[in-house]
Amino acid sequence: MQIADLYIRVSTDEQADKGYSQRDQEERLRNIVSLKNIRIDRIIFEDHSAKTFERPEWQKYMDSFRRGKSGKETRLLLFTKWDRFSRNISEADQMISKLTKLNISPQAIEQPLDLRVPENKLLLAIYLLTPEVENDR
């Protein structure tokens, strides 16, 4: 059975009003893991901007692996969309590399990508760059 951590993030009241509430994200993620028979290990709730990974709950999550709590099995890190993970393409690329080294596979359930397929890097760039441009604007 696969193991997944659920990452649920909002940063503004507007997002909560437009269907990105933590409750809504959690419900969508739980439905997917239930359908795919994936066991949930942790649920991480965050309410900070995704412009950087200097987020309190994210830091706690990563620290838990630095202290050796990472298993040898590959685990999934699931979130609804890539902009829930990051709104900064260069930081996201670095974090994906760190997660991969920890046997953690980040995946957006509404924008699924197999990152082992080189062409999917183009889609990932679009998914991450679009919200970064929105932030800049």
Side-chain angles (χ1 to χ4, degrees):
M1 175 180 278
Q2 282 190 302
I3 299 170
D5 299 323
L6 309 182
Y7 185 70
I8 299 164
R9 186 192 68 77
V10 296
S11 63
T12 66
D13 293 335
E14 180 184 7
Q15 288 174 330
D17 293 341
K18 291 185 177 180
Y20 292 113
S21 71
Q22 289 183 334
R23 181 181 304 146
D24 180 65
Q25 290 177 59
E26 182 180 9
E27 184 178 311
R28 286 187 270 163
L29 290 164
R30 284 186 179 276
N31 285 341
I32 286 293
V33 297
S34 177
L35 287 172
K36 295 189 175 196
N37 197 30
I38 298 170
R39 182 174 66 85
I40 298 171
D41 186 32
R42 304 180 216 183
I43 302 176
I44 302 100
F45 291 96
E46 190 80 74
D47 64 354
H48 283 73
S49 170
K51 292 176 188 175
T52 74
F53 283 95
E54 297 298 319
R55 308 173 214 156
E57 297 306 316
W58 183 263
Q59 291 300 313
K60 289 178 191 173
Y61 179 69
M62 293 304 291
D63 286 347
S64 72
F65 295 106
R66 289 184 193 110
R67 288 188 301 248
K69 293 184 181 179
S70 177
K72 292 188 179 184
E73 76 281 345
T74 298
R75 72 174 48 226
L76 302 170
L77 174 64
L78 301 177
F79 34 88
T80 54
K81 294 184 177 185
W82 283 99
D83 69 347
R84 302 297 87 210
F85 175 69
S86 180
R87 297 176 75 88
N88 181 313
I89 193 167
S90 60
E91 286 206 11
D93 186 52
Q94 291 174 9
M95 186 56 68
I96 290 168
S97 292
K98 288 179 187 178
L99 292 169
T100 301
K101 289 176 185 171
L102 293 168
N103 292 324
I104 301 170
S105 177
Q107 296 181 18
I109 62 167
E110 294 177 14
Q111 298 166 322
L113 295 173
D114 182 345
L115 297 178
R116 297 170 298 181
V117 176
E119 291 79 8
N120 282 342
K121 291 179 182 179
L122 290 170
L123 286 172
L124 178 61
I126 292 168
Y127 291 148
L128 293 169
L129 195 55
T130 302
E132 184 175 339
V133 169
E134 289 173 2
N135 280 351
D136 291 348
R137 195 175 331 128

Coordinates of all heavy atoms in Angstrom, one line a residue, residues 17-93:
D17 N -12.6 31.8 -0.2 CA -13.9 32.1 -0.8 C -14.1 31.5 -2.2 O -15.2 31.3 -2.6 CB -14.1 33.6 -0.8 CG -14.2 34.2 0.5 OD1 -14.5 33.5 1.5 OD2 -14.0 35.5 0.7
K18 N -13.0 31.3 -2.9 CA -13.0 30.8 -4.3 C -12.8 29.3 -4.4 O -12.4 28.8 -5.4 CB -12.0 31.5 -5.1 CG -12.3 33.0 -5.3 CD -11.3 33.7 -6.3 CE -11.7 35.1 -6.5 NZ -10.8 35.8 -7.4
G19 N -13.1 28.6 -3.3 CA -13.0 27.1 -3.4 C -11.7 26.5 -3.1 O -11.5 25.4 -3.4
Y20 N -10.8 27.3 -2.6 CA -9.5 26.7 -2.2 C -9.4 26.5 -0.7 O -8.3 26.4 -0.2 CB -8.3 27.7 -2.6 CG -8.2 27.7 -4.1 CD1 -8.4 28.9 -4.8 CD2 -7.7 26.6 -4.9 CE1 -8.3 29.0 -6.2 CE2 -7.6 26.7 -6.2 CZ -7.9 27.9 -6.9 OH -7.7 28.0 -8.2
S21 N -10.5 26.5 0.0 CA -10.5 26.4 1.5 C -9.7 25.1 1.9 O -9.7 24.2 1.1 CB -11.9 26.4 2.1 OG -12.5 25.2 1.7
Q22 N -9.2 25.2 3.1 CA -8.5 24.0 3.5 C -9.5 22.8 3.6 O -9.1 21.7 3.3 CB -7.9 24.3 4.9 CG -6.7 25.2 4.8 CD -6.0 25.4 6.1 OE1 -6.6 25.3 7.2 NE2 -4.7 25.8 6.0
R23 N -10.7 23.0 4.0 CA -11.7 22.0 4.1 C -11.9 21.4 2.7 O -12.0 20.1 2.5 CB -13.0 22.5 4.7 CG -14.0 21.4 4.8 CD -15.3 21.9 5.4 NE -15.1 22.5 6.7 CZ -15.8 23.6 7.1 NH1 -16.8 24.1 6.3 NH2 -15.6 24.1 8.2
D24 N -12.1 22.2 1.7 CA -12.3 21.7 0.4 C -11.1 20.9 -0.2 O -11.3 19.9 -0.8 CB -12.6 22.9 -0.6 CG -12.9 22.5 -2.0 OD1 -13.9 21.8 -2.2 OD2 -12.0 22.8 -2.9
Q25 N -9.9 21.5 0.0 CA -8.7 20.7 -0.4 C -8.6 19.4 0.3 O -8.3 18.4 -0.4 CB -7.5 21.6 -0.1 CG -7.3 22.8 -1.0 CD -6.1 23.6 -0.6 OE1 -5.0 23.1 -0.7 NE2 -6.3 24.9 -0.2
E26 N -8.8 19.4 1.6 CA -8.7 18.1 2.3 C -9.7 17.1 1.8 O -9.4 15.9 1.6 CB -8.9 18.3 3.8 CG -8.8 17.1 4.6 CD -9.0 17.3 6.1 OE1 -9.4 18.4 6.5 OE2 -8.7 16.3 6.9
E27 N -10.9 17.5 1.5 CA -12.0 16.6 1.0 C -11.6 16.0 -0.3 O -11.7 14.8 -0.5 CB -13.3 17.4 0.9 CG -14.5 16.5 0.5 CD -15.8 17.3 0.4 OE1 -16.1 18.0 1.4 OE2 -16.4 17.2 -0.6
R28 N -11.1 16.9 -1.2 CA -10.7 16.4 -2.5 C -9.5 15.4 -2.4 O -9.5 14.3 -3.1 CB -10.3 17.5 -3.5 CG -11.6 18.3 -3.9 CD -11.2 19.3 -5.0 NE -11.0 20.6 -4.3 CZ -10.3 21.6 -4.9 NH1 -9.9 21.5 -6.1 NH2 -10.1 22.7 -4.2
L29 N -8.5 15.7 -1.6 CA -7.4 14.8 -1.4 C -7.8 13.5 -0.7 O -7.4 12.4 -1.2 CB -6.3 15.5 -0.5 CG -5.6 16.7 -1.2 CD1 -4.9 17.5 -0.2 CD2 -4.7 16.1 -2.3
R30 N -8.7 13.6 0.3 CA -9.1 12.3 0.9 C -9.9 11.4 0.0 O -9.8 10.2 0.0 CB -10.0 12.6 2.2 CG -9.1 13.1 3.3 CD -10.0 13.2 4.6 NE -9.3 13.6 5.7 CZ -8.6 12.8 6.5 NH1 -8.6 11.5 6.3 NH2 -8.0 13.3 7.6
N31 N -10.7 12.0 -0.9 CA -11.4 11.2 -1.9 C -10.5 10.5 -2.8 O -10.7 9.3 -3.1 CB -12.3 12.1 -2.7 CG -13.6 12.6 -2.0 OD1 -14.0 12.0 -1.0 ND2 -14.2 13.7 -2.4
I32 N -9.4 11.1 -3.3 CA -8.5 10.5 -4.2 C -7.7 9.3 -3.5 O -7.6 8.3 -4.0 CB -7.4 11.5 -4.7 CG1 -8.1 12.4 -5.7 CG2 -6.2 10.9 -5.3 CD1 -8.5 11.7 -7.0
V33 N -7.3 9.6 -2.3 CA -6.5 8.5 -1.6 C -7.4 7.3 -1.3 O -7.0 6.2 -1.3 CB -5.8 9.0 -0.3 CG1 -4.7 10.0 -0.7 CG2 -6.7 9.5 0.7
S34 N -8.7 7.6 -1.0 CA -9.6 6.5 -0.7 C -9.9 5.7 -2.0 O -9.8 4.5 -1.9 CB -10.9 7.1 -0.2 OG -11.9 6.1 -0.1
L35 N -10.0 6.4 -3.1 CA -10.2 5.7 -4.4 C -9.0 4.8 -4.8 O -9.2 3.8 -5.4 CB -10.6 6.7 -5.5 CG -11.9 7.3 -5.5 CD1 -12.0 8.4 -6.5 CD2 -13.0 6.3 -5.7
K36 N -7.9 5.3 -4.5 CA -6.6 4.6 -4.9 C -6.0 3.8 -3.8 O -4.9 3.3 -4.0 CB -5.6 5.7 -5.4 CG -6.1 6.4 -6.6 CD -5.0 7.3 -7.2 CE -5.5 7.9 -8.5 NZ -4.5 8.4 -9.4
N37 N -6.7 3.6 -2.7 CA -6.3 2.8 -1.6 C -4.9 3.2 -1.1 O -4.0 2.3 -1.0 CB -6.3 1.3 -2.0 CG -6.3 0.4 -0.9 OD1 -6.7 0.7 0.2 ND2 -5.7 -0.8 -1.0
I38 N -4.7 4.5 -0.9 CA -3.5 5.0 -0.4 C -3.7 5.4 1.1 O -4.7 5.9 1.5 CB -3.1 6.3 -1.2 CG1 -2.9 5.9 -2.7 CG2 -1.8 7.0 -0.6 CD1 -2.7 7.2 -3.6
R39 N -2.7 5.0 1.9 CA -2.8 5.3 3.3 C -2.2 6.7 3.6 O -1.1 7.0 3.2 CB -2.0 4.3 4.1 CG -2.0 4.5 5.6 CD -1.3 3.3 6.4 NE 0.1 3.3 6.2 CZ 1.0 4.0 6.8 NH1 0.6 4.8 7.8 NH2 2.3 3.8 6.6
I40 N -2.9 7.5 4.4 CA -2.5 8.8 4.8 C -1.6 8.7 6.0 O -2.0 8.1 7.0 CB -3.7 9.7 5.1 CG1 -4.5 9.9 3.8 CG2 -3.2 11.1 5.6 CD1 -5.9 10.6 4.1
D41 N -0.4 9.2 5.9 CA 0.5 9.3 7.1 C 0.3 10.6 7.8 O 0.1 10.6 9.0 CB 1.9 9.0 6.7 CG 2.9 8.9 7.9 OD1 2.4 8.4 8.9 OD2 4.0 9.3 7.7
R42 N 0.4 11.7 7.1 CA 0.4 13.0 7.8 C -0.5 14.0 6.9 O -0.5 13.8 5.7 CB 1.7 13.7 7.9 CG 2.8 12.9 8.6 CD 4.1 13.6 8.6 NE 5.2 12.7 8.5 CZ 6.4 13.0 8.5 NH1 6.8 14.3 8.6 NH2 7.4 12.1 8.4
I43 N -1.1 14.9 7.6 CA -1.8 16.0 6.9 C -1.2 17.3 7.4 O -1.1 17.5 8.6 CB -3.3 16.0 7.2 CG1 -3.9 14.6 6.8 CG2 -4.0 17.1 6.5 CD1 -5.4 14.5 7.1
I44 N -0.7 18.1 6.5 CA 0.0 19.3 6.8 C -0.9 20.5 6.4 O -1.3 20.6 5.2 CB 1.3 19.4 6.1 CG1 2.2 18.3 6.5 CG2 2.0 20.8 6.4 CD1 2.3 17.2 5.5
F45 N -1.3 21.3 7.3 CA -2.2 22.5 7.0 C -1.3 23.7 7.1 O -0.6 23.9 8.1 CB -3.3 22.6 8.1 CG -4.4 21.5 7.9 CD1 -4.3 20.4 8.7 CD2 -5.4 21.7 7.0 CE1 -5.3 19.4 8.6 CE2 -6.3 20.7 6.9 CZ -6.3 19.6 7.7
E46 N -1.3 24.5 6.1 CA -0.4 25.7 6.0 C -1.3 26.9 5.6 O -2.2 26.8 4.8 CB 0.6 25.5 4.9 CG 1.7 26.5 4.9 CD 2.8 26.3 6.0 OE1 3.6 25.3 5.8 OE2 2.8 27.0 7.0
D47 N -1.0 28.1 6.2 CA -1.7 29.3 5.8 C -0.7 30.4 5.6 O -0.9 31.5 6.0 CB -2.7 29.7 6.9 CG -2.1 30.0 8.2 OD1 -0.9 29.9 8.4 OD2 -2.8 30.5 9.1
H48 N 0.3 30.1 4.8 CA 1.3 31.1 4.4 C 1.5 31.1 2.9 O 1.1 30.2 2.2 CB 2.7 30.8 5.0 CG 2.7 31.1 6.5 ND1 2.1 30.4 7.5 CD2 3.4 32.2 7.1 CE1 2.3 31.0 8.6 NE2 3.1 32.1 8.4
S49 N 2.1 32.2 2.4 CA 2.3 32.3 1.0 C 3.3 31.2 0.5 O 4.1 30.8 1.2 CB 3.0 33.7 0.7 OG 3.4 33.8 -0.6
A50 N 3.1 30.9 -0.8 CA 4.0 29.9 -1.4 C 5.1 30.5 -2.3 O 5.6 29.9 -3.1 CB 3.1 29.0 -2.3
K51 N 5.4 31.8 -2.0 CA 6.4 32.5 -2.7 C 7.8 31.9 -2.4 O 8.7 31.9 -3.2 CB 6.4 34.0 -2.4 CG 5.2 34.7 -3.0 CD 5.2 36.2 -2.6 CE 3.9 36.8 -3.0 NZ 3.8 38.2 -2.5
T52 N 7.9 31.4 -1.1 CA 9.1 30.7 -0.7 C 8.7 29.5 0.1 O 7.5 29.3 0.4 CB 10.0 31.6 0.2 OG1 9.4 31.7 1.5 CG2 10.2 33.0 -0.4
F53 N 9.7 28.6 0.4 CA 9.4 27.5 1.3 C 9.7 27.8 2.8 O 9.8 26.9 3.6 CB 10.2 26.3 0.8 CG 9.5 25.6 -0.4 CD1 9.9 26.0 -1.7 CD2 8.5 24.7 -0.3 CE1 9.3 25.4 -2.8 CE2 7.9 24.2 -1.4 CZ 8.3 24.5 -2.7
E54 N 9.8 29.1 3.1 CA 10.0 29.5 4.5 C 8.7 29.6 5.1 O 8.2 30.7 5.5 CB 10.8 30.8 4.5 CG 12.2 30.8 4.0 CD 13.1 29.8 4.7 OE1 13.0 29.8 5.9 OE2 13.8 29.1 4.0
R55 N 8.0 28.4 5.2 CA 6.7 28.4 5.8 C 6.8 27.5 7.0 O 7.4 26.4 7.0 CB 5.7 27.7 4.8 CG 5.7 28.4 3.4 CD 4.8 27.6 2.5 NE 5.4 27.6 1.2 CZ 5.2 26.8 0.2 NH1 4.4 25.7 0.4 NH2 5.8 26.9 -1.0
P56 N 6.1 27.9 8.1 CA 6.3 27.1 9.4 C 6.0 25.6 9.3 O 6.8 24.8 9.7 CB 5.3 27.8 10.3 CG 5.1 29.2 9.8 CD 5.3 29.1 8.3
E57 N 4.8 25.3 8.8 CA 4.5 23.9 8.7 C 5.3 23.1 7.7 O 5.6 21.9 7.9 CB 3.0 23.7 8.4 CG 2.1 24.3 9.5 CD 2.4 23.8 10.9 OE1 2.6 22.5 11.1 OE2 2.5 24.6 11.9
W58 N 5.7 23.8 6.6 CA 6.6 23.1 5.7 C 7.9 22.8 6.3 O 8.5 21.7 6.1 CB 6.8 24.0 4.4 CG 7.6 23.3 3.4 CD1 8.9 23.5 3.2 CD2 7.2 22.3 2.5 NE1 9.4 22.6 2.2 CE2 8.3 21.9 1.8 CE3 6.0 21.6 2.3 CZ2 8.3 20.8 0.8 CZ3 5.9 20.6 1.3 CH2 7.0 20.3 0.6
Q59 N 8.5 23.8 7.0 CA 9.7 23.6 7.7 C 9.7 22.4 8.7 O 10.6 21.6 8.7 CB 10.2 24.9 8.4 CG 10.6 26.0 7.4 CD 11.7 25.6 6.5 OE1 12.7 25.1 7.0 NE2 11.6 25.9 5.2
K60 N 8.6 22.3 9.4 CA 8.4 21.2 10.4 C 8.4 19.9 9.6 O 9.0 18.9 10.0 CB 7.2 21.3 11.2 CG 7.2 22.4 12.2 CD 5.8 22.5 12.9 CE 5.7 23.8 13.7 NZ 4.4 23.9 14.3
Y61 N 7.7 19.9 8.5 CA 7.6 18.7 7.7 C 9.0 18.2 7.2 O 9.4 17.1 7.4 CB 6.7 18.9 6.5 CG 6.5 17.8 5.5 CD1 5.9 16.6 5.9 CD2 7.0 17.8 4.2 CE1 5.7 15.5 5.1 CE2 6.9 16.7 3.4 CZ 6.2 15.6 3.8 OH 6.0 14.5 2.9
M62 N 9.8 19.2 6.6 CA 11.1 18.9 6.1 C 12.0 18.5 7.3 O 12.9 17.6 7.1 CB 11.7 20.0 5.3 CG 10.9 20.3 4.0 SD 10.8 18.8 2.9 CE 12.5 18.7 2.4
D63 N 12.0 19.2 8.4 CA 12.8 18.9 9.5 C 12.6 17.4 10.0 O 13.5 16.8 10.4 CB 12.5 19.8 10.7 CG 13.1 21.2 10.4 OD1 13.9 21.4 9.5 OD2 12.7 22.1 11.2
S64 N 11.4 16.9 9.9 CA 11.1 15.6 10.4 C 11.9 14.5 9.5 O 12.3 13.5 10.0 CB 9.6 15.2 10.3 OG 9.2 15.1 9.0
F65 N 12.2 14.9 8.3 CA 13.0 13.9 7.5 C 14.5 14.1 7.7 O 15.3 13.2 7.6 CB 12.6 14.1 6.0 CG 11.2 13.7 5.7 CD1 10.3 14.7 5.5 CD2 10.8 12.4 5.7 CE1 8.9 14.3 5.2 CE2 9.5 12.0 5.5 CZ 8.6 13.0 5.2
R66 N 14.9 15.3 8.0 CA 16.3 15.6 8.3 C 16.7 14.9 9.6 O 17.9 14.6 9.8 CB 16.5 17.1 8.4 CG 16.5 17.8 7.1 CD 16.8 19.3 7.2 NE 16.4 20.0 6.0 CZ 15.4 20.8 5.9 NH1 14.7 21.2 7.0 NH2 15.2 21.4 4.8
R67 N 15.8 14.6 10.5 CA 16.1 13.9 11.7 C 16.0 12.4 11.6 O 15.9 11.7 12.5 CB 15.1 14.4 12.8 CG 15.3 15.8 13.3 CD 14.5 16.2 14.5 NE 13.1 16.0 14.1 CZ 12.2 17.0 14.1 NH1 12.6 18.2 14.3 NH2 11.0 16.8 13.8
G68 N 15.9 12.0 10.3 CA 15.9 10.6 10.1 C 14.6 9.8 10.1 O 14.6 8.6 10.2
K69 N 13.5 10.5 10.1 CA 12.2 9.8 10.1 C 11.8 9.3 8.8 O 10.7 8.9 8.6 CB 11.2 10.7 10.8 CG 11.4 11.0 12.2 CD 10.3 11.8 12.8 CE 10.6 12.1 14.3 NZ 9.6 12.9 14.9
S70 N 12.6 9.5 7.8 CA 12.2 9.1 6.4 C 12.5 7.6 6.3 O 13.5 7.1 6.7 CB 13.1 9.8 5.4 OG 12.8 9.4 4.1
G71 N 11.5 6.9 5.7 CA 11.7 5.5 5.5 C 12.3 5.3 4.1 O 12.6 6.2 3.4
K72 N 12.5 4.0 3.8 CA 13.1 3.7 2.5 C 12.1 3.6 1.4 O 12.4 3.7 0.3 CB 13.9 2.4 2.6 CG 15.1 2.5 3.5 CD 16.0 1.3 3.4 CE 17.2 1.5 4.3 NZ 18.1 0.4 4.2
E73 N 10.8 3.5 1.8 CA 9.7 3.4 0.9 C 9.5 4.8 0.3 O 9.7 5.8 0.9 CB 8.4 2.8 1.5 CG 7.7 3.8 2.4 CD 8.2 4.0 3.8 OE1 9.1 3.2 4.2 OE2 7.8 4.9 4.4
T74 N 9.0 4.8 -1.0 CA 8.7 6.0 -1.6 C 7.3 6.5 -1.0 O 6.4 5.6 -0.9 CB 8.6 5.9 -3.1 OG1 9.9 5.5 -3.6 CG2 8.1 7.2 -3.8
R75 N 7.2 7.7 -0.7 CA 5.9 8.2 -0.2 C 5.5 9.3 -1.2 O 6.3 9.9 -1.8 CB 6.0 8.7 1.2 CG 6.8 10.0 1.5 CD 6.7 10.5 2.9 NE 6.9 9.5 3.9 CZ 6.1 9.3 5.0 NH1 5.1 10.1 5.2 NH2 6.4 8.4 5.9
L76 N 4.2 9.5 -1.2 CA 3.7 10.6 -2.0 C 3.4 11.8 -1.2 O 3.1 11.7 0.0 CB 2.3 10.2 -2.6 CG 2.3 8.9 -3.5 CD1 0.9 8.5 -3.8 CD2 3.1 9.2 -4.7
L77 N 3.6 13.0 -1.7 CA 3.2 14.2 -1.1 C 2.2 14.8 -2.1 O 2.4 15.2 -3.2 CB 4.4 15.2 -1.0 CG 4.0 16.6 -0.5 CD1 3.5 16.6 0.9 CD2 5.2 17.6 -0.6
L78 N 0.9 14.8 -1.6 CA -0.2 15.1 -2.5 C -0.8 16.5 -2.1 O -0.9 16.8 -0.9 CB -1.3 14.1 -2.4 CG -1.0 12.6 -2.7 CD1 -2.1 11.7 -2.5 CD2 -0.5 12.6 -4.2
F79 N -1.1 17.2 -3.1 CA -1.8 18.5 -3.0 C -2.7 18.7 -4.1 O -2.6 17.9 -5.1 CB -0.7 19.7 -2.9 CG 0.5 19.5 -3.7 CD1 0.5 19.9 -5.1 CD2 1.6 18.9 -3.2 CE1 1.6 19.7 -5.9 CE2 2.7 18.7 -4.0 CZ 2.7 19.1 -5.3
T80 N -3.6 19.6 -4.1 CA -4.6 19.7 -5.2 C -4.0 20.2 -6.5 O -4.3 19.6 -7.5 CB -5.8 20.6 -4.7 OG1 -5.3 21.9 -4.3 CG2 -6.6 19.9 -3.6
K81 N -3.3 21.3 -6.4 CA -2.7 21.9 -7.6 C -1.3 22.4 -7.3 O -0.9 22.6 -6.2 CB -3.5 23.2 -8.1 CG -4.9 22.8 -8.6 CD -5.6 24.0 -9.1 CE -7.0 23.7 -9.7 NZ -7.6 24.8 -10.3
W82 N -0.5 22.5 -8.4 CA 0.9 22.9 -8.2 C 1.1 24.3 -7.5 O 2.0 24.5 -6.8 CB 1.6 22.9 -9.5 CG 1.9 21.4 -9.9 CD1 1.3 20.7 -10.8 CD2 3.0 20.6 -9.3 NE1 1.8 19.4 -10.8 CE2 2.9 19.4 -9.9 CE3 4.0 20.9 -8.4 CZ2 3.7 18.3 -9.6 CZ3 4.9 19.8 -8.1 CH2 4.7 18.6 -8.7
D83 N 0.1 25.2 -7.6 CA 0.2 26.5 -7.0 C 0.0 26.4 -5.5 O 0.3 27.3 -4.7 CB -0.7 27.5 -7.6 CG -2.1 27.3 -7.4 OD1 -2.6 26.2 -6.9 OD2 -2.9 28.3 -7.6
R84 N -0.5 25.3 -5.0 CA -0.6 25.0 -3.5 C 0.8 24.6 -3.0 O 1.1 24.9 -1.9 CB -1.6 23.9 -3.2 CG -3.0 24.1 -3.7 CD -3.8 25.2 -3.1 NE -3.5 26.4 -3.9 CZ -3.5 27.7 -3.4 NH1 -3.7 27.9 -2.1 NH2 -3.2 28.7 -4.1
F85 N 1.6 24.0 -3.9 CA 2.9 23.6 -3.5 C 3.9 24.8 -3.5 O 4.6 25.0 -2.6 CB 3.4 22.5 -4.5 CG 4.8 22.0 -4.3 CD1 5.2 21.3 -3.2 CD2 5.7 22.3 -5.3 CE1 6.5 20.9 -3.0 CE2 7.1 21.9 -5.2 CZ 7.4 21.2 -4.0
S86 N 3.9 25.5 -4.7 CA 4.8 26.6 -4.8 C 4.3 27.6 -5.9 O 3.6 27.2 -6.8 CB 6.2 26.1 -5.2 OG 7.1 27.2 -5.4
R87 N 4.6 28.9 -5.7 CA 4.4 29.9 -6.6 C 5.7 30.6 -7.0 O 5.8 31.8 -7.3 CB 3.4 30.9 -6.0 CG 2.0 30.3 -5.7 CD 1.1 31.3 -5.1 NE 0.6 32.3 -6.0 CZ -0.5 32.1 -6.7 NH1 -1.2 31.0 -6.7 NH2 -0.9 33.1 -7.5
N88 N 6.7 29.8 -7.1 CA 8.1 30.2 -7.4 C 8.8 29.1 -8.1 O 9.2 28.1 -7.5 CB 8.8 30.6 -6.2 CG 10.2 31.1 -6.5 OD1 11.0 30.6 -7.2 ND2 10.6 32.3 -5.8
I89 N 9.0 29.2 -9.4 CA 9.5 28.1 -10.2 C 10.9 27.6 -9.8 O 11.1 26.4 -9.8 CB 9.4 28.4 -11.7 CG1 9.6 27.1 -12.6 CG2 10.3 29.5 -12.1 CD1 9.2 27.3 -14.0
S90 N 11.8 28.6 -9.5 CA 13.1 28.2 -9.2 C 13.2 27.5 -7.8 O 13.9 26.4 -7.7 CB 14.1 29.3 -9.2 OG 13.7 30.3 -8.3
E91 N 12.5 28.0 -6.9 CA 12.4 27.3 -5.5 C 11.7 26.0 -5.6 O 12.1 25.0 -5.0 CB 11.8 28.2 -4.5 CG 12.6 29.4 -4.1 CD 12.3 29.9 -2.7 OE1 11.5 29.2 -1.9 OE2 12.8 30.9 -2.3
A92 N 10.7 25.9 -6.4 CA 10.0 24.6 -6.6 C 10.9 23.5 -7.2 O 10.9 22.4 -6.7 CB 8.7 24.8 -7.5
D93 N 11.7 23.9 -8.2 CA 12.6 23.0 -8.8 C 13.6 22.4 -7.8 O 13.9 21.2 -7.7 CB 13.3 23.6 -10.0 CG 14.2 22.7 -10.7 OD1 13.7 21.6 -11.2 OD2 15.4 23.0 -10.9

